[in-house]
Amino acid sequence: MSYEIIGIVVLWLFLFGYIIVASIDFGAGFFHAYSVLTNKQHIISKIVQRYLSPVWEVTNVFLVFFFVGIVGFFPSTAYYYGTILLVPASLSLILLAIRGAYYAFTTYGKLRSNFWTYLYGFSGLLIPASLSIVLTISEGGFIVKKNNELSLQYANLFTSPLTWSIVILSLTSVLYISAVFLTWYAHKAKDRPATTLLRKYALIWAGPAMITATGIIVELRTHNPAHFQRMLDLWWMFALSGILFIATVYFIWQKKSYGLAFFLLTGQFFIAFYAYGISHYPYLLYPYLTIDEGFTNEGMAIALIFAFIAGFCLLIPSLWLLLRLFLFNKDYVEGKIK
Amino acid sequence: MESEQAVFYSRLLTELTLSFHIIYATIGVGIPFLIFLAQWLGIKKQDEHYILLARRWTRGFVITVAVGVVTGTAIGLQLNLLWPTFMELAGQAIALPLFMETFAFFFEAIFLGIYLYTWDRFRDQRKHMLLLIPVAIGASFSAVFITMVNAFMNAPQGFELMNGELINVEPLVAMFNPAMPTKVAHVVATAYMTSAFVLAAIGAFRLLKGSNHIYHKKALLLTLKVGLIFSIASAVIGDFAGKYLAAYQPEKLAAMEWHFETENQASLTLFGFLTNGDEIKFSLEVPYALSILAHGNPNAEVIGLDQFEEDEIPPLYIHYLFNIMVIIGMITMIIALFYIIGNALNRTFIRNRFFLWLIVSTGPLSMIAIEAGWWLAEVGRQPWVLRGILRTENAATTSNHVDFMLLLFIGLYLVLGLASVIVLTRMFKNNPVEQELLDQQRNGR
């Protein structure tokens, strides 16, 4: 495998990691805010807090890791995406900053007020929407290059059905992923009311998530026919992903094996995400930048891959320790120890 | 918007973000080390006061970490948004330490989460203390790696330039550039020093506000000792940094010392004001000092600004920043030294209100020195973003919306700054140490 393929596969993996952990985080914040709004706070607050507290900082690192990594492996993305994304990415940054800081302020600083809970919960839904703009732009058709200057066509972007489909997909899948995970977590905590409520959320959001995902494939047929064609060539991956989706919903419906259900859901998104990524090949930004053109020099590529392996030898055991102490610790999950 | 304006606003926004970020980042690098020290002393001396010290520092630390993390994410992404051309070029050569910085950050984030939530999990406090080692290492190493990136901007090497393209890139050579040793050492030492003085200031403030608890006195002695050690280290490293500048970046040294003519036996200009561009008033000249500072030899030749083109000279106001940084370093060092000597000799002046106020001042003062030092280092590199390779005006974004983004981020930092101050004061005001000690006794621990 060539270095650039290794690079993009690894980065894609990190983006996937971020999508899963951030979805859980954003969704949990939203469900928490929603429960305060509807006076059901007593049911799920504890579950959400107990999960989020030790991991909120780690979630953020996944994102930093992705954008630092992509500039490392593909420096030209800094030029293209950096120039275009000034406004949308700055807005995401401000939302992320407010959200992250206020999480810490309320949790550790005892800044207890419903206002912050709402701010935290609802800003969480705007972030995936604003970040998903990048995916839309990467499909091409929204950038004009004139006299060596790039500019983003906001009017086109905001009137395109593709943009809105991707935004809605990001929202529905955030809520779906989060609800499935929290159902499992609540079940492990032997918290029956929370499990019931979250299971309901999971079932509510399963349908919309699936419908919008399919909708995007249809949108692409007119927006980027070449990409659509490559997606059709990978039909079996999307089909496999669909089967996993059905299996997930089945287990949740049957109220059993919530852990397996979450595992299947991760598989479903993993396959779909990679299928989408593979079909996007060879473009990083259609039609301006391909993976080969944007790739860094060989010396840096080798150094980065070495750093990556060394870093992972450090991170995997640490992450495992974190999970073992909190996520997979029976007493912690059940709230018996702090 | 004209591209000149885009450059101006990009510089302003980057400066704003970094200036805000380093307040939290400096604390973030130094405090884990001090928490570790306190917990270690607590276990060694079997003294619950030190353990409580570690615990209370940690509680405040989390708030500053949160702001540090989010503003750090902001500057990381902003570099790409505001300086896309620079990042495209530099990414080829300097991505390795940038990448490693995120690993260090990752490592710290994981163990900080564990440390925060396992205060009562382990029967043996030593196990809990061990968790702080990766936190402190992660925190310090993210400073080390990110400073390597900055050092590269001052002394770019490890590649060849051919028609605007970088070829034959050697990432390790780029990482271990000549500016790296002094820069990294100075950043880490001053971060430890500043964190120690900030914590000392809090202890002194509590004593002034009527709390006469032995706890604060222990805190004061510990933090001022650390402060003294690292302010001496910072000064020594600062001297090496001067010698580095003389050899590799003479225009920065000449601009910051107002050294206009190349000469032997150069004297050092202290203080003073510059009028009409080159007339120095009210200054103090120390004969030979600049030659000694630059080369360790009173007769050595020091390159002056006359050797450089007009448009390659940094702004001369960096002299004031240099003065502020050095004077503060000296003042805080002397205050810490007096306290430690006074304490050892059992003198009462260290409990004197005036002297306590002096200690309170060391916290904000050293933070001002950090800011001044960074402005000096960064403005002193102008007009280059990559010294000798890429000029700042050619690196900025061509986007038209930088001014609007600047306003948004000013708003964000105001909100975050105010909120973090309010949250921190409330946390500690509502739960003074006397109360917490009583609570602990009542709970039978």
PDB file of all heavy atoms in Angstrom, chain A residues 53 60 71 76 79 82 90 102 104 108 110 297 300 325 329 337-338, chain B residues 62 66 69 73 80 88 92-93 95 102-103 114 117 121 169 405 419 426:
ATOM      1  N   SER A  53     -18.299  12.838  32.073  1.00  0.00           N
ATOM      2  CA  SER A  53     -17.274  13.543  32.833  1.00  0.00           C
ATOM      3  C   SER A  53     -15.844  13.100  32.560  1.00  0.00           C
ATOM      4  O   SER A  53     -15.004  13.942  32.264  1.00  0.00           O
ATOM      5  CB  SER A  53     -17.598  13.458  34.313  1.00  0.00           C
ATOM      6  OG  SER A  53     -18.830  14.077  34.537  1.00  0.00           O
ATOM      7  N   ASN A  60     -12.530  15.757  22.393  1.00  0.00           N
ATOM      8  CA  ASN A  60     -11.990  16.903  21.682  1.00  0.00           C
ATOM      9  C   ASN A  60     -10.681  16.578  20.960  1.00  0.00           C
ATOM     10  O   ASN A  60     -10.429  17.056  19.867  1.00  0.00           O
ATOM     11  CB  ASN A  60     -11.767  18.018  22.707  1.00  0.00           C
ATOM     12  CG  ASN A  60     -11.962  19.371  22.104  1.00  0.00           C
ATOM     13  OD1 ASN A  60     -12.754  19.515  21.182  1.00  0.00           O
ATOM     14  ND2 ASN A  60     -11.244  20.338  22.605  1.00  0.00           N
ATOM     15  N   VAL A  71      -3.319  17.904   7.775  1.00  0.00           N
ATOM     16  CA  VAL A  71      -2.354  18.890   7.294  1.00  0.00           C
ATOM     17  C   VAL A  71      -0.964  18.269   7.196  1.00  0.00           C
ATOM     18  O   VAL A  71      -0.183  18.594   6.303  1.00  0.00           O
ATOM     19  CB  VAL A  71      -2.345  20.141   8.204  1.00  0.00           C
ATOM     20  CG1 VAL A  71      -1.249  21.090   7.796  1.00  0.00           C
ATOM     21  CG2 VAL A  71      -3.683  20.831   8.148  1.00  0.00           C
ATOM     22  N   SER A  76      -1.510  20.343   1.257  1.00  0.00           N
ATOM     23  CA  SER A  76      -2.283  21.214   0.358  1.00  0.00           C
ATOM     24  C   SER A  76      -3.706  21.423   0.852  1.00  0.00           C
ATOM     25  O   SER A  76      -4.351  22.404   0.482  1.00  0.00           O
ATOM     26  CB  SER A  76      -2.340  20.624  -1.045  1.00  0.00           C
ATOM     27  OG  SER A  76      -1.039  20.471  -1.528  1.00  0.00           O
ATOM     28  N   TYR A  79      -4.125  24.720   2.407  1.00  0.00           N
ATOM     29  CA  TYR A  79      -4.340  25.847   1.514  1.00  0.00           C
ATOM     30  C   TYR A  79      -5.790  25.892   1.038  1.00  0.00           C
ATOM     31  O   TYR A  79      -6.478  26.903   1.177  1.00  0.00           O
ATOM     32  CB  TYR A  79      -3.379  25.772   0.336  1.00  0.00           C
ATOM     33  CG  TYR A  79      -3.660  26.822  -0.696  1.00  0.00           C
ATOM     34  CD1 TYR A  79      -3.433  28.162  -0.413  1.00  0.00           C
ATOM     35  CD2 TYR A  79      -4.198  26.477  -1.928  1.00  0.00           C
ATOM     36  CE1 TYR A  79      -3.734  29.136  -1.345  1.00  0.00           C
ATOM     37  CE2 TYR A  79      -4.493  27.439  -2.864  1.00  0.00           C
ATOM     38  CZ  TYR A  79      -4.256  28.761  -2.574  1.00  0.00           C
ATOM     39  OH  TYR A  79      -4.564  29.735  -3.488  1.00  0.00           O
ATOM     40  N   GLY A  82      -8.361  25.572   4.161  1.00  0.00           N
ATOM     41  CA  GLY A  82      -8.103  26.698   5.057  1.00  0.00           C
ATOM     42  C   GLY A  82      -8.662  27.995   4.502  1.00  0.00           C
ATOM     43  O   GLY A  82      -9.323  28.765   5.197  1.00  0.00           O
ATOM     44  N   SER A  90     -14.681  28.812  11.644  1.00  0.00           N
ATOM     45  CA  SER A  90     -14.589  29.704  12.799  1.00  0.00           C
ATOM     46  C   SER A  90     -15.857  29.620  13.637  1.00  0.00           C
ATOM     47  O   SER A  90     -15.804  29.626  14.871  1.00  0.00           O
ATOM     48  CB  SER A  90     -14.374  31.143  12.366  1.00  0.00           C
ATOM     49  OG  SER A  90     -13.113  31.287  11.779  1.00  0.00           O
ATOM     50  N   TYR A 102     -18.106  25.434  28.905  1.00  0.00           N
ATOM     51  CA  TYR A 102     -19.244  25.427  29.818  1.00  0.00           C
ATOM     52  C   TYR A 102     -19.518  24.073  30.401  1.00  0.00           C
ATOM     53  O   TYR A 102     -20.072  23.951  31.486  1.00  0.00           O
ATOM     54  CB  TYR A 102     -20.481  26.066  29.184  1.00  0.00           C
ATOM     55  CG  TYR A 102     -20.345  27.544  29.327  1.00  0.00           C
ATOM     56  CD1 TYR A 102     -19.834  28.323  28.304  1.00  0.00           C
ATOM     57  CD2 TYR A 102     -20.576  28.134  30.557  1.00  0.00           C
ATOM     58  CE1 TYR A 102     -19.604  29.667  28.478  1.00  0.00           C
ATOM     59  CE2 TYR A 102     -20.342  29.472  30.742  1.00  0.00           C
ATOM     60  CZ  TYR A 102     -19.874  30.239  29.705  1.00  0.00           C
ATOM     61  OH  TYR A 102     -19.616  31.560  29.897  1.00  0.00           O
ATOM     62  N   ALA A 104     -17.146  22.157  31.475  1.00  0.00           N
ATOM     63  CA  ALA A 104     -16.267  22.154  32.648  1.00  0.00           C
ATOM     64  C   ALA A 104     -16.776  23.115  33.714  1.00  0.00           C
ATOM     65  O   ALA A 104     -16.765  22.798  34.901  1.00  0.00           O
ATOM     66  CB  ALA A 104     -14.854  22.535  32.231  1.00  0.00           C
ATOM     67  N   TYR A 108     -17.570  21.188  37.120  1.00  0.00           N
ATOM     68  CA  TYR A 108     -16.607  21.323  38.207  1.00  0.00           C
ATOM     69  C   TYR A 108     -16.814  22.623  38.966  1.00  0.00           C
ATOM     70  O   TYR A 108     -16.469  22.721  40.136  1.00  0.00           O
ATOM     71  CB  TYR A 108     -15.187  21.282  37.660  1.00  0.00           C
ATOM     72  CG  TYR A 108     -14.944  20.079  36.796  1.00  0.00           C
ATOM     73  CD1 TYR A 108     -14.860  20.195  35.423  1.00  0.00           C
ATOM     74  CD2 TYR A 108     -14.826  18.812  37.378  1.00  0.00           C
ATOM     75  CE1 TYR A 108     -14.661  19.092  34.624  1.00  0.00           C
ATOM     76  CE2 TYR A 108     -14.633  17.712  36.580  1.00  0.00           C
ATOM     77  CZ  TYR A 108     -14.546  17.851  35.213  1.00  0.00           C
ATOM     78  OH  TYR A 108     -14.362  16.757  34.423  1.00  0.00           O
ATOM     79  N   LYS A 110     -19.673  24.172  39.431  1.00  0.00           N
ATOM     80  CA  LYS A 110     -21.007  24.251  40.037  1.00  0.00           C
ATOM     81  C   LYS A 110     -21.779  25.477  39.551  1.00  0.00           C
ATOM     82  O   LYS A 110     -22.434  26.175  40.299  1.00  0.00           O
ATOM     83  CB  LYS A 110     -20.895  24.281  41.567  1.00  0.00           C
ATOM     84  CG  LYS A 110     -19.968  23.222  42.110  1.00  0.00           C
ATOM     85  CD  LYS A 110     -20.465  22.641  43.391  1.00  0.00           C
ATOM     86  CE  LYS A 110     -19.791  21.332  43.763  1.00  0.00           C
ATOM     87  NZ  LYS A 110     -18.430  21.126  43.337  1.00  0.00           N
ATOM     88  N   ASN A 297       5.811  15.092   1.275  1.00  0.00           N
ATOM     89  CA  ASN A 297       7.010  14.433   0.761  1.00  0.00           C
ATOM     90  C   ASN A 297       7.251  13.107   1.479  1.00  0.00           C
ATOM     91  O   ASN A 297       6.727  12.872   2.569  1.00  0.00           O
ATOM     92  CB  ASN A 297       8.206  15.356   0.928  1.00  0.00           C
ATOM     93  CG  ASN A 297       8.340  15.813   2.356  1.00  0.00           C
ATOM     94  OD1 ASN A 297       8.841  15.075   3.190  1.00  0.00           O
ATOM     95  ND2 ASN A 297       7.864  17.002   2.663  1.00  0.00           N
ATOM     96  N   MET A 300       8.683  13.103   5.216  1.00  0.00           N
ATOM     97  CA  MET A 300       7.705  13.426   6.238  1.00  0.00           C
ATOM     98  C   MET A 300       6.710  12.294   6.420  1.00  0.00           C
ATOM     99  O   MET A 300       6.318  11.973   7.542  1.00  0.00           O
ATOM    100  CB  MET A 300       6.981  14.722   5.870  1.00  0.00           C
ATOM    101  CG  MET A 300       6.007  15.212   6.906  1.00  0.00           C
ATOM    102  SD  MET A 300       6.738  15.422   8.538  1.00  0.00           S
ATOM    103  CE  MET A 300       7.594  16.965   8.345  1.00  0.00           C
ATOM    104  N   LEU A 325     -11.547   1.658  33.771  1.00  0.00           N
ATOM    105  CA  LEU A 325     -11.841   2.305  35.049  1.00  0.00           C
ATOM    106  C   LEU A 325     -13.238   2.912  35.084  1.00  0.00           C
ATOM    107  O   LEU A 325     -13.836   3.029  36.138  1.00  0.00           O
ATOM    108  CB  LEU A 325     -10.814   3.408  35.330  1.00  0.00           C
ATOM    109  CG  LEU A 325      -9.452   2.937  35.818  1.00  0.00           C
ATOM    110  CD1 LEU A 325      -8.486   4.098  35.857  1.00  0.00           C
ATOM    111  CD2 LEU A 325      -9.567   2.319  37.196  1.00  0.00           C
ATOM    112  N   ASN A 329     -16.349  -0.413  34.142  1.00  0.00           N
ATOM    113  CA  ASN A 329     -16.258  -0.711  35.559  1.00  0.00           C
ATOM    114  C   ASN A 329     -17.667  -0.752  36.126  1.00  0.00           C
ATOM    115  O   ASN A 329     -18.366   0.243  36.178  1.00  0.00           O
ATOM    116  CB  ASN A 329     -15.423   0.365  36.263  1.00  0.00           C
ATOM    117  CG  ASN A 329     -15.190   0.017  37.715  1.00  0.00           C
ATOM    118  OD1 ASN A 329     -16.133  -0.127  38.475  1.00  0.00           O
ATOM    119  ND2 ASN A 329     -13.939  -0.129  38.073  1.00  0.00           N
ATOM    120  N   ILE A 337     -19.330   3.768  43.027  1.00  0.00           N
ATOM    121  CA  ILE A 337     -18.144   4.536  43.370  1.00  0.00           C
ATOM    122  C   ILE A 337     -18.085   5.749  42.475  1.00  0.00           C
ATOM    123  O   ILE A 337     -18.652   5.765  41.382  1.00  0.00           O
ATOM    124  CB  ILE A 337     -16.827   3.722  43.210  1.00  0.00           C
ATOM    125  CG1 ILE A 337     -16.808   3.039  41.860  1.00  0.00           C
ATOM    126  CG2 ILE A 337     -16.634   2.778  44.353  1.00  0.00           C
ATOM    127  CD1 ILE A 337     -15.511   2.367  41.554  1.00  0.00           C
ATOM    128  N   LYS A 338     -17.383   6.724  42.959  1.00  0.00           N
ATOM    129  CA  LYS A 338     -17.285   7.960  42.182  1.00  0.00           C
ATOM    130  C   LYS A 338     -16.272   7.806  41.075  1.00  0.00           C
ATOM    131  O   LYS A 338     -15.247   7.229  41.245  1.00  0.00           O
ATOM    132  CB  LYS A 338     -16.879   9.093  43.088  1.00  0.00           C
ATOM    133  CG  LYS A 338     -18.070   9.901  43.520  1.00  0.00           C
ATOM    134  CD  LYS A 338     -17.613  11.357  43.659  1.00  0.00           C
ATOM    135  CE  LYS A 338     -18.369  12.108  44.722  1.00  0.00           C
ATOM    136  NZ  LYS A 338     -17.536  13.035  45.428  1.00  0.00           N
TER     137      LYS A 338
ATOM    138  N   VAL B  62      -8.719  22.220  36.613  1.00  0.00           N
ATOM    139  CA  VAL B  62      -9.636  21.694  35.591  1.00  0.00           C
ATOM    140  C   VAL B  62     -10.302  22.820  34.813  1.00  0.00           C
ATOM    141  O   VAL B  62     -10.468  22.741  33.597  1.00  0.00           O
ATOM    142  CB  VAL B  62     -10.749  20.846  36.240  1.00  0.00           C
ATOM    143  CG1 VAL B  62     -11.570  20.179  35.171  1.00  0.00           C
ATOM    144  CG2 VAL B  62     -10.159  19.812  37.136  1.00  0.00           C
ATOM    145  N   ALA B  66      -9.850  23.440  30.795  1.00  0.00           N
ATOM    146  CA  ALA B  66     -10.958  23.473  29.832  1.00  0.00           C
ATOM    147  C   ALA B  66     -10.789  24.654  28.876  1.00  0.00           C
ATOM    148  O   ALA B  66     -10.901  24.487  27.658  1.00  0.00           O
ATOM    149  CB  ALA B  66     -12.289  23.576  30.568  1.00  0.00           C
ATOM    150  N   VAL B  69      -7.848  23.985  26.587  1.00  0.00           N
ATOM    151  CA  VAL B  69      -8.143  23.016  25.530  1.00  0.00           C
ATOM    152  C   VAL B  69      -8.922  23.676  24.404  1.00  0.00           C
ATOM    153  O   VAL B  69      -8.568  23.548  23.230  1.00  0.00           O
ATOM    154  CB  VAL B  69      -8.942  21.809  26.093  1.00  0.00           C
ATOM    155  CG1 VAL B  69      -9.513  20.973  24.963  1.00  0.00           C
ATOM    156  CG2 VAL B  69      -8.070  20.963  26.982  1.00  0.00           C
ATOM    157  N   THR B  73      -7.523  24.343  20.664  1.00  0.00           N
ATOM    158  CA  THR B  73      -8.170  23.842  19.454  1.00  0.00           C
ATOM    159  C   THR B  73      -8.371  24.998  18.484  1.00  0.00           C
ATOM    160  O   THR B  73      -8.141  24.876  17.278  1.00  0.00           O
ATOM    161  CB  THR B  73      -9.537  23.218  19.800  1.00  0.00           C
ATOM    162  OG1 THR B  73      -9.365  22.338  20.903  1.00  0.00           O
ATOM    163  CG2 THR B  73     -10.107  22.459  18.629  1.00  0.00           C
ATOM    164  N   ASN B  80      -4.552  27.187  10.119  1.00  0.00           N
ATOM    165  CA  ASN B  80      -4.901  26.790   8.757  1.00  0.00           C
ATOM    166  C   ASN B  80      -5.829  27.794   8.100  1.00  0.00           C
ATOM    167  O   ASN B  80      -5.762  28.022   6.901  1.00  0.00           O
ATOM    168  CB  ASN B  80      -5.590  25.423   8.754  1.00  0.00           C
ATOM    169  CG  ASN B  80      -4.707  24.367   9.335  1.00  0.00           C
ATOM    170  OD1 ASN B  80      -3.629  24.096   8.824  1.00  0.00           O
ATOM    171  ND2 ASN B  80      -5.131  23.776  10.435  1.00  0.00           N
ATOM    172  N   GLU B  88       0.614  25.287   4.275  1.00  0.00           N
ATOM    173  CA  GLU B  88       0.873  24.372   3.165  1.00  0.00           C
ATOM    174  C   GLU B  88       2.381  24.129   3.041  1.00  0.00           C
ATOM    175  O   GLU B  88       2.828  22.998   2.886  1.00  0.00           O
ATOM    176  CB  GLU B  88       0.306  24.930   1.865  1.00  0.00           C
ATOM    177  CG  GLU B  88       0.430  23.948   0.712  1.00  0.00           C
ATOM    178  CD  GLU B  88      -0.074  24.521  -0.599  1.00  0.00           C
ATOM    179  OE1 GLU B  88      -0.233  25.745  -0.695  1.00  0.00           O
ATOM    180  OE2 GLU B  88      -0.303  23.721  -1.520  1.00  0.00           O
ATOM    181  N   GLN B  92       4.838  20.649   5.123  1.00  0.00           N
ATOM    182  CA  GLN B  92       5.773  19.709   4.498  1.00  0.00           C
ATOM    183  C   GLN B  92       6.967  19.417   5.395  1.00  0.00           C
ATOM    184  O   GLN B  92       7.551  18.354   5.333  1.00  0.00           O
ATOM    185  CB  GLN B  92       6.320  20.323   3.194  1.00  0.00           C
ATOM    186  CG  GLN B  92       5.292  20.652   2.177  1.00  0.00           C
ATOM    187  CD  GLN B  92       5.192  19.578   1.122  1.00  0.00           C
ATOM    188  OE1 GLN B  92       5.950  18.621   1.128  1.00  0.00           O
ATOM    189  NE2 GLN B  92       4.240  19.713   0.228  1.00  0.00           N
ATOM    190  N   ALA B  93       7.362  20.415   6.208  1.00  0.00           N
ATOM    191  CA  ALA B  93       8.614  20.278   6.939  1.00  0.00           C
ATOM    192  C   ALA B  93       8.415  20.075   8.433  1.00  0.00           C
ATOM    193  O   ALA B  93       9.241  19.441   9.088  1.00  0.00           O
ATOM    194  CB  ALA B  93       9.476  21.518   6.712  1.00  0.00           C
ATOM    195  N   ALA B  95       5.384  19.123  10.136  1.00  0.00           N
ATOM    196  CA  ALA B  95       4.189  18.423  10.599  1.00  0.00           C
ATOM    197  C   ALA B  95       4.492  17.437  11.722  1.00  0.00           C
ATOM    198  O   ALA B  95       3.642  17.174  12.561  1.00  0.00           O
ATOM    199  CB  ALA B  95       3.536  17.697   9.433  1.00  0.00           C
ATOM    200  N   THR B 102      -0.145  16.567  19.430  1.00  0.00           N
ATOM    201  CA  THR B 102      -1.487  16.057  19.704  1.00  0.00           C
ATOM    202  C   THR B 102      -1.426  14.747  20.481  1.00  0.00           C
ATOM    203  O   THR B 102      -2.299  14.469  21.292  1.00  0.00           O
ATOM    204  CB  THR B 102      -2.309  15.841  18.426  1.00  0.00           C
ATOM    205  OG1 THR B 102      -1.515  15.160  17.480  1.00  0.00           O
ATOM    206  CG2 THR B 102      -2.760  17.131  17.840  1.00  0.00           C
ATOM    207  N   PHE B 103      -0.384  13.954  20.242  1.00  0.00           N
ATOM    208  CA  PHE B 103      -0.229  12.726  21.034  1.00  0.00           C
ATOM    209  C   PHE B 103      -0.027  13.060  22.503  1.00  0.00           C
ATOM    210  O   PHE B 103      -0.629  12.438  23.391  1.00  0.00           O
ATOM    211  CB  PHE B 103       0.961  11.897  20.536  1.00  0.00           C
ATOM    212  CG  PHE B 103       0.590  10.943  19.450  1.00  0.00           C
ATOM    213  CD1 PHE B 103       1.147  11.055  18.189  1.00  0.00           C
ATOM    214  CD2 PHE B 103      -0.311   9.922  19.684  1.00  0.00           C
ATOM    215  CE1 PHE B 103       0.803  10.182  17.177  1.00  0.00           C
ATOM    216  CE2 PHE B 103      -0.657   9.042  18.686  1.00  0.00           C
ATOM    217  CZ  PHE B 103      -0.103   9.169  17.419  1.00  0.00           C
ATOM    218  N   ILE B 114      -8.725  10.369  34.294  1.00  0.00           N
ATOM    219  CA  ILE B 114      -8.626   9.300  35.297  1.00  0.00           C
ATOM    220  C   ILE B 114      -8.296   9.897  36.662  1.00  0.00           C
ATOM    221  O   ILE B 114      -8.926   9.572  37.666  1.00  0.00           O
ATOM    222  CB  ILE B 114      -7.553   8.269  34.888  1.00  0.00           C
ATOM    223  CG1 ILE B 114      -7.949   7.609  33.561  1.00  0.00           C
ATOM    224  CG2 ILE B 114      -7.405   7.210  35.963  1.00  0.00           C
ATOM    225  CD1 ILE B 114      -6.948   6.613  33.040  1.00  0.00           C
ATOM    226  N   TYR B 117     -11.142  11.544  38.601  1.00  0.00           N
ATOM    227  CA  TYR B 117     -12.272  10.745  39.065  1.00  0.00           C
ATOM    228  C   TYR B 117     -11.871   9.573  39.942  1.00  0.00           C
ATOM    229  O   TYR B 117     -12.673   8.689  40.177  1.00  0.00           O
ATOM    230  CB  TYR B 117     -13.122  10.285  37.873  1.00  0.00           C
ATOM    231  CG  TYR B 117     -13.939  11.427  37.383  1.00  0.00           C
ATOM    232  CD1 TYR B 117     -13.429  12.319  36.457  1.00  0.00           C
ATOM    233  CD2 TYR B 117     -15.179  11.683  37.935  1.00  0.00           C
ATOM    234  CE1 TYR B 117     -14.155  13.428  36.063  1.00  0.00           C
ATOM    235  CE2 TYR B 117     -15.911  12.780  37.548  1.00  0.00           C
ATOM    236  CZ  TYR B 117     -15.391  13.643  36.612  1.00  0.00           C
ATOM    237  OH  TYR B 117     -16.114  14.740  36.239  1.00  0.00           O
ATOM    238  N   ARG B 121     -10.789   6.292  44.830  1.00  0.00           N
ATOM    239  CA  ARG B 121     -10.879   4.934  44.288  1.00  0.00           C
ATOM    240  C   ARG B 121      -9.800   4.032  44.876  1.00  0.00           C
ATOM    241  O   ARG B 121     -10.051   2.875  45.190  1.00  0.00           O
ATOM    242  CB  ARG B 121     -10.758   5.010  42.765  1.00  0.00           C
ATOM    243  CG  ARG B 121     -10.915   3.731  42.011  1.00  0.00           C
ATOM    244  CD  ARG B 121     -12.358   3.392  41.701  1.00  0.00           C
ATOM    245  NE  ARG B 121     -13.017   4.211  40.701  1.00  0.00           N
ATOM    246  CZ  ARG B 121     -13.160   3.857  39.426  1.00  0.00           C
ATOM    247  NH1 ARG B 121     -12.612   2.773  38.968  1.00  0.00           N
ATOM    248  NH2 ARG B 121     -13.844   4.618  38.612  1.00  0.00           N
ATOM    249  N   VAL B 169      13.223  16.888   2.259  1.00  0.00           N
ATOM    250  CA  VAL B 169      12.840  17.261   3.617  1.00  0.00           C
ATOM    251  C   VAL B 169      13.346  16.227   4.620  1.00  0.00           C
ATOM    252  O   VAL B 169      13.223  15.030   4.405  1.00  0.00           O
ATOM    253  CB  VAL B 169      11.309  17.378   3.726  1.00  0.00           C
ATOM    254  CG1 VAL B 169      10.899  17.673   5.161  1.00  0.00           C
ATOM    255  CG2 VAL B 169      10.801  18.462   2.804  1.00  0.00           C
ATOM    256  N   MET B 405     -14.580  37.897  11.725  1.00  0.00           N
ATOM    257  CA  MET B 405     -14.183  36.798  12.608  1.00  0.00           C
ATOM    258  C   MET B 405     -13.462  37.333  13.841  1.00  0.00           C
ATOM    259  O   MET B 405     -13.609  36.814  14.937  1.00  0.00           O
ATOM    260  CB  MET B 405     -13.262  35.824  11.870  1.00  0.00           C
ATOM    261  CG  MET B 405     -13.915  35.076  10.738  1.00  0.00           C
ATOM    262  SD  MET B 405     -15.305  34.105  11.326  1.00  0.00           S
ATOM    263  CE  MET B 405     -16.637  34.810  10.399  1.00  0.00           C
ATOM    264  N   ALA B 419     -16.055  34.361  32.492  1.00  0.00           N
ATOM    265  CA  ALA B 419     -16.704  33.214  33.126  1.00  0.00           C
ATOM    266  C   ALA B 419     -15.697  32.402  33.923  1.00  0.00           C
ATOM    267  O   ALA B 419     -15.985  31.977  35.042  1.00  0.00           O
ATOM    268  CB  ALA B 419     -17.375  32.346  32.073  1.00  0.00           C
ATOM    269  N   ARG B 426     -15.662  31.865  42.702  1.00  0.00           N
ATOM    270  CA  ARG B 426     -16.784  31.292  43.454  1.00  0.00           C
ATOM    271  C   ARG B 426     -16.433  29.953  44.080  1.00  0.00           C
ATOM    272  O   ARG B 426     -16.777  29.661  45.213  1.00  0.00           O
ATOM    273  CB  ARG B 426     -17.987  31.135  42.537  1.00  0.00           C
ATOM    274  CG  ARG B 426     -18.940  32.285  42.689  1.00  0.00           C
ATOM    275  CD  ARG B 426     -20.264  32.041  42.064  1.00  0.00           C
ATOM    276  NE  ARG B 426     -20.520  30.672  41.668  1.00  0.00           N
ATOM    277  CZ  ARG B 426     -21.624  30.313  41.029  1.00  0.00           C
ATOM    278  NH1 ARG B 426     -22.518  31.220  40.736  1.00  0.00           N
ATOM    279  NH2 ARG B 426     -21.819  29.066  40.675  1.00  0.00           N
TER     280      ARG B 426
END
